[in-house]
mmCIF file of all heavy atoms in Angstrom:
data_model
loop_
_atom_site.group_PDB
_atom_site.id
_atom_site.type_symbol
_atom_site.label_atom_id
_atom_site.label_comp_id
_atom_site.label_asym_id
_atom_site.label_seq_id
_atom_site.Cartn_x
_atom_site.Cartn_y
_atom_site.Cartn_z
ATOM 1 N N ASN A 1 4.834 -155.938 -14.379
ATOM 2 C CA ASN A 1 3.513 -155.409 -14.415
ATOM 3 C C ASN A 1 3.303 -154.294 -13.259
ATOM 4 O O ASN A 1 2.179 -154.242 -12.661
ATOM 5 C CB ASN A 1 2.548 -156.420 -14.255
ATOM 6 C CG ASN A 1 2.496 -157.422 -15.418
ATOM 7 O OD1 ASN A 1 2.871 -157.113 -16.553
ATOM 8 N ND2 ASN A 1 2.002 -158.718 -15.060
ATOM 9 N N ASN A 2 4.364 -153.550 -12.975
ATOM 10 C CA ASN A 2 4.191 -152.544 -11.894
ATOM 11 C C ASN A 2 3.321 -151.287 -12.376
ATOM 12 O O ASN A 2 3.301 -150.940 -13.646
ATOM 13 C CB ASN A 2 5.536 -151.974 -11.522
ATOM 14 C CG ASN A 2 6.075 -150.815 -12.411
ATOM 15 O OD1 ASN A 2 5.774 -149.678 -12.222
ATOM 16 N ND2 ASN A 2 6.999 -151.188 -13.268
ATOM 17 N N ARG A 3 2.517 -150.858 -11.474
ATOM 18 C CA ARG A 3 1.674 -149.687 -11.763
ATOM 19 C C ARG A 3 2.075 -148.558 -11.062
ATOM 20 O O ARG A 3 1.348 -147.719 -10.590
ATOM 21 C CB ARG A 3 0.206 -150.220 -11.179
ATOM 22 C CG ARG A 3 -0.333 -151.327 -11.862
ATOM 23 C CD ARG A 3 -1.547 -152.134 -11.083
ATOM 24 N NE ARG A 3 -2.068 -153.217 -11.882
ATOM 25 C CZ ARG A 3 -1.535 -154.379 -11.856
ATOM 26 N NH1 ARG A 3 -0.447 -154.715 -11.203
ATOM 27 N NH2 ARG A 3 -2.149 -155.439 -12.623
ATOM 28 N N ILE A 4 3.365 -148.330 -10.993
ATOM 29 C CA ILE A 4 4.023 -147.222 -10.265
ATOM 30 C C ILE A 4 3.606 -145.940 -10.869
ATOM 31 O O ILE A 4 3.525 -144.868 -10.065
ATOM 32 C CB ILE A 4 5.582 -147.535 -10.186
ATOM 33 C CG1 ILE A 4 6.168 -146.610 -9.098
ATOM 34 C CG2 ILE A 4 6.132 -147.070 -11.530
ATOM 35 C CD1 ILE A 4 7.499 -146.981 -8.868
ATOM 36 N N GLY A 5 3.302 -145.788 -12.077
ATOM 37 C CA GLY A 5 2.938 -144.487 -12.768
ATOM 38 C C GLY A 5 1.679 -143.915 -12.264
ATOM 39 O O GLY A 5 1.524 -142.662 -12.111
ATOM 40 N N ILE A 6 0.604 -144.849 -11.862
ATOM 41 C CA ILE A 6 -0.633 -144.417 -11.483
ATOM 42 C C ILE A 6 -0.734 -144.533 -9.914
ATOM 43 O O ILE A 6 -1.445 -143.720 -9.342
ATOM 44 C CB ILE A 6 -1.734 -145.094 -12.412
ATOM 45 C CG1 ILE A 6 -1.553 -144.670 -13.817
ATOM 46 C CG2 ILE A 6 -3.031 -144.805 -11.724
ATOM 47 C CD1 ILE A 6 -2.623 -145.416 -14.657
ATOM 48 N N ASP A 7 -0.427 -145.661 -9.434
ATOM 49 C CA ASP A 7 -0.641 -146.055 -8.050
ATOM 50 C C ASP A 7 0.138 -145.362 -7.047
ATOM 51 O O ASP A 7 -0.143 -145.260 -5.940
ATOM 52 C CB ASP A 7 -0.698 -147.617 -7.921
ATOM 53 C CG ASP A 7 -1.737 -148.348 -8.625
ATOM 54 O OD1 ASP A 7 -2.593 -147.532 -9.209
ATOM 55 O OD2 ASP A 7 -1.752 -149.527 -8.543
ATOM 56 N N VAL A 8 1.370 -144.916 -7.422
ATOM 57 C CA VAL A 8 2.361 -144.290 -6.456
ATOM 58 C C VAL A 8 2.393 -142.770 -6.657
ATOM 59 O O VAL A 8 2.977 -142.330 -7.737
ATOM 60 C CB VAL A 8 3.645 -145.006 -6.638
ATOM 61 C CG1 VAL A 8 4.623 -144.413 -5.616
ATOM 62 C CG2 VAL A 8 3.587 -146.417 -6.352
ATOM 63 N N PRO A 9 1.944 -142.007 -5.769
ATOM 64 C CA PRO A 9 1.734 -140.599 -5.975
ATOM 65 C C PRO A 9 3.087 -139.932 -6.151
ATOM 66 O O PRO A 9 3.155 -138.853 -6.728
ATOM 67 C CB PRO A 9 1.099 -140.021 -4.828
ATOM 68 C CG PRO A 9 1.085 -141.123 -3.717
ATOM 69 C CD PRO A 9 1.302 -142.437 -4.378
ATOM 70 N N GLU A 10 4.196 -140.367 -5.520
ATOM 71 C CA GLU A 10 5.522 -139.730 -5.492
ATOM 72 C C GLU A 10 6.245 -139.987 -6.750
ATOM 73 O O GLU A 10 7.492 -139.544 -6.805
ATOM 74 C CB GLU A 10 6.303 -139.900 -4.295
ATOM 75 C CG GLU A 10 6.583 -141.481 -4.031
ATOM 76 C CD GLU A 10 5.586 -142.131 -3.107
ATOM 77 O OE1 GLU A 10 4.491 -141.675 -3.113
ATOM 78 O OE2 GLU A 10 5.967 -143.085 -2.479
ATOM 79 N N THR A 11 5.676 -140.833 -7.834
ATOM 80 C CA THR A 11 6.556 -141.099 -8.815
ATOM 81 C C THR A 11 6.932 -139.900 -9.610
ATOM 82 O O THR A 11 8.133 -139.859 -10.112
ATOM 83 C CB THR A 11 5.829 -142.182 -9.724
ATOM 84 O OG1 THR A 11 5.461 -143.236 -9.057
ATOM 85 C CG2 THR A 11 6.625 -142.557 -10.951
ATOM 86 N N GLU A 12 6.166 -138.991 -9.763
ATOM 87 C CA GLU A 12 6.591 -137.786 -10.546
ATOM 88 C C GLU A 12 7.665 -137.007 -9.895
ATOM 89 O O GLU A 12 8.569 -136.555 -10.535
ATOM 90 C CB GLU A 12 5.311 -136.817 -10.753
ATOM 91 C CG GLU A 12 4.303 -137.267 -11.785
ATOM 92 C CD GLU A 12 3.214 -136.218 -12.093
ATOM 93 O OE1 GLU A 12 3.184 -135.327 -11.217
ATOM 94 O OE2 GLU A 12 2.469 -136.461 -13.053
ATOM 95 N N ILE A 13 7.731 -137.107 -8.674
ATOM 96 C CA ILE A 13 8.724 -136.373 -7.798
ATOM 97 C C ILE A 13 10.156 -137.042 -7.973
ATOM 98 O O ILE A 13 11.142 -136.449 -8.292
ATOM 99 C CB ILE A 13 8.430 -136.234 -6.290
ATOM 100 C CG1 ILE A 13 7.155 -135.558 -6.070
ATOM 101 C CG2 ILE A 13 9.602 -135.746 -5.510
ATOM 102 C CD1 ILE A 13 6.687 -135.502 -4.615
ATOM 103 N N VAL A 14 10.039 -138.393 -7.981
ATOM 104 C CA VAL A 14 11.168 -139.184 -8.206
ATOM 105 C C VAL A 14 11.800 -139.129 -9.616
ATOM 106 O O VAL A 14 12.975 -138.915 -9.891
ATOM 107 C CB VAL A 14 10.991 -140.716 -7.841
ATOM 108 C CG1 VAL A 14 12.261 -141.601 -8.232
ATOM 109 C CG2 VAL A 14 10.579 -140.910 -6.509
ATOM 110 N N ALA A 15 10.808 -139.088 -10.625
ATOM 111 C CA ALA A 15 11.304 -138.960 -12.001
ATOM 112 C C ALA A 15 11.665 -137.529 -12.308
ATOM 113 O O ALA A 15 12.348 -137.214 -13.319
ATOM 114 C CB ALA A 15 10.148 -139.521 -12.893
ATOM 115 N N GLY A 16 11.202 -136.506 -11.593
ATOM 116 C CA GLY A 16 11.390 -135.139 -11.902
ATOM 117 C C GLY A 16 10.772 -134.622 -13.206
ATOM 118 O O GLY A 16 11.239 -133.714 -13.827
ATOM 119 N N ARG A 17 9.575 -135.121 -13.424
ATOM 120 C CA ARG A 17 8.839 -134.767 -14.622
ATOM 121 C C ARG A 17 7.371 -135.200 -14.613
ATOM 122 O O ARG A 17 7.104 -136.086 -13.834
ATOM 123 C CB ARG A 17 9.577 -135.294 -15.970
ATOM 124 C CG ARG A 17 9.600 -136.867 -15.967
ATOM 125 C CD ARG A 17 10.413 -137.312 -17.136
ATOM 126 N NE ARG A 17 10.620 -138.838 -17.093
ATOM 127 C CZ ARG A 17 9.718 -139.711 -17.545
ATOM 128 N NH1 ARG A 17 8.581 -139.460 -18.091
ATOM 129 N NH2 ARG A 17 10.090 -141.057 -17.480
ATOM 130 N N LEU A 18 6.650 -134.760 -15.578
ATOM 131 C CA LEU A 18 5.241 -135.254 -15.701
ATOM 132 C C LEU A 18 5.445 -136.638 -16.388
ATOM 133 O O LEU A 18 6.234 -136.872 -17.085
ATOM 134 C CB LEU A 18 4.399 -134.292 -16.588
ATOM 135 C CG LEU A 18 4.075 -132.875 -15.982
ATOM 136 C CD1 LEU A 18 3.345 -132.068 -17.041
ATOM 137 C CD2 LEU A 18 3.199 -133.137 -14.764
ATOM 138 N N LEU A 19 4.474 -137.435 -15.973
ATOM 139 C CA LEU A 19 4.496 -138.880 -16.515
ATOM 140 C C LEU A 19 3.669 -138.953 -17.783
ATOM 141 O O LEU A 19 2.574 -138.431 -17.915
ATOM 142 C CB LEU A 19 3.952 -139.852 -15.486
ATOM 143 C CG LEU A 19 4.807 -139.781 -14.190
ATOM 144 C CD1 LEU A 19 4.172 -140.911 -13.235
ATOM 145 C CD2 LEU A 19 6.206 -140.030 -14.385
ATOM 146 N N GLN A 20 4.232 -139.732 -18.739
ATOM 147 C CA GLN A 20 3.512 -140.007 -19.914
ATOM 148 C C GLN A 20 2.828 -141.269 -19.892
ATOM 149 O O GLN A 20 3.504 -142.397 -19.811
ATOM 150 C CB GLN A 20 4.452 -140.073 -21.214
ATOM 151 C CG GLN A 20 3.886 -140.248 -22.489
ATOM 152 C CD GLN A 20 4.857 -140.336 -23.659
ATOM 153 O OE1 GLN A 20 6.000 -139.910 -23.333
ATOM 154 N NE2 GLN A 20 4.423 -140.673 -24.837
ATOM 155 N N MET A 21 1.515 -141.378 -19.747
ATOM 156 C CA MET A 21 0.899 -142.651 -19.739
ATOM 157 C C MET A 21 0.661 -143.364 -21.091
ATOM 158 O O MET A 21 0.648 -142.573 -22.221
ATOM 159 C CB MET A 21 -0.548 -142.436 -19.052
ATOM 160 C CG MET A 21 -0.461 -141.962 -17.708
ATOM 161 S SD MET A 21 0.518 -143.075 -16.577
ATOM 162 C CE MET A 21 0.815 -142.041 -15.189
ATOM 163 N N ASN A 22 0.471 -144.628 -21.221
ATOM 164 C CA ASN A 22 0.356 -145.310 -22.459
ATOM 165 C C ASN A 22 -0.823 -146.394 -22.301
ATOM 166 O O ASN A 22 -1.153 -146.715 -21.221
ATOM 167 C CB ASN A 22 1.734 -145.846 -22.938
ATOM 168 C CG ASN A 22 2.239 -146.738 -21.853
ATOM 169 O OD1 ASN A 22 1.716 -147.858 -21.629
ATOM 170 N ND2 ASN A 22 3.379 -146.239 -21.240
ATOM 171 N N PRO A 23 -1.064 -147.058 -23.512
ATOM 172 C CA PRO A 23 -2.090 -148.071 -23.361
ATOM 173 C C PRO A 23 -1.809 -149.268 -22.339
ATOM 174 O O PRO A 23 -2.620 -149.816 -21.779
ATOM 175 C CB PRO A 23 -2.274 -148.564 -24.782
ATOM 176 C CG PRO A 23 -1.810 -147.391 -25.540
ATOM 177 C CD PRO A 23 -0.686 -146.668 -24.853
ATOM 178 N N ILE A 24 -0.526 -149.606 -22.148
ATOM 179 C CA ILE A 24 -0.100 -150.624 -21.245
ATOM 180 C C ILE A 24 -0.439 -150.171 -19.923
ATOM 181 O O ILE A 24 -0.919 -151.031 -19.115
ATOM 182 C CB ILE A 24 1.376 -150.958 -21.469
ATOM 183 C CG1 ILE A 24 1.513 -151.563 -22.830
ATOM 184 C CG2 ILE A 24 1.901 -151.810 -20.327
ATOM 185 C CD1 ILE A 24 0.985 -152.891 -23.010
ATOM 186 N N ASP A 25 -0.213 -148.974 -19.497
ATOM 187 C CA ASP A 25 -0.633 -148.428 -18.120
ATOM 188 C C ASP A 25 -2.092 -148.726 -17.896
ATOM 189 O O ASP A 25 -2.564 -149.124 -16.848
ATOM 190 C CB ASP A 25 -0.318 -147.042 -17.912
ATOM 191 C CG ASP A 25 1.222 -146.718 -17.901
ATOM 192 O OD1 ASP A 25 1.935 -147.446 -17.212
ATOM 193 O OD2 ASP A 25 1.693 -145.913 -18.749
ATOM 194 N N LEU A 26 -2.958 -148.349 -18.934
ATOM 195 C CA LEU A 26 -4.306 -148.469 -18.817
ATOM 196 C C LEU A 26 -4.720 -149.867 -18.707
ATOM 197 O O LEU A 26 -5.514 -150.272 -17.896
ATOM 198 C CB LEU A 26 -4.994 -147.791 -20.010
ATOM 199 C CG LEU A 26 -6.520 -147.918 -20.033
ATOM 200 C CD1 LEU A 26 -7.171 -147.232 -18.841
ATOM 201 C CD2 LEU A 26 -7.118 -147.289 -21.261
ATOM 202 N N TYR A 27 -4.047 -150.688 -19.499
ATOM 203 C CA TYR A 27 -4.386 -152.082 -19.498
ATOM 204 C C TYR A 27 -4.138 -152.858 -18.091
ATOM 205 O O TYR A 27 -4.822 -153.524 -17.557
ATOM 206 C CB TYR A 27 -3.597 -152.955 -20.499
ATOM 207 C CG TYR A 27 -4.026 -154.488 -20.709
ATOM 208 C CD1 TYR A 27 -5.095 -154.808 -21.614
ATOM 209 C CD2 TYR A 27 -3.327 -155.440 -19.963
ATOM 210 C CE1 TYR A 27 -5.421 -156.198 -21.607
ATOM 211 C CE2 TYR A 27 -3.750 -156.715 -20.128
ATOM 212 C CZ TYR A 27 -4.704 -157.042 -20.856
ATOM 213 O OH TYR A 27 -5.209 -158.360 -20.898
#
């Protein structure tokens, strides 16, 4: 249940791309 896509600001830098959010992230 990690919220790393929204709660951690450096996730895009680590992944090297824009992040694709989905309904599970919102839930």
Side-chain angles (χ1 to χ4, degrees):
N1 295 336
N2 85 83
R3 297 160 176 82
I4 199 169
I6 296 178
D7 290 356
V8 180
E10 60 267 25
T11 302
E12 287 187 348
I13 298 175
V14 173
R17 59 183 171 87
L18 293 175
L19 301 181
Q20 179 182 353
M21 299 300 165
N22 57 70
I24 291 296
D25 292 308
L26 180 60
Y27 186 87

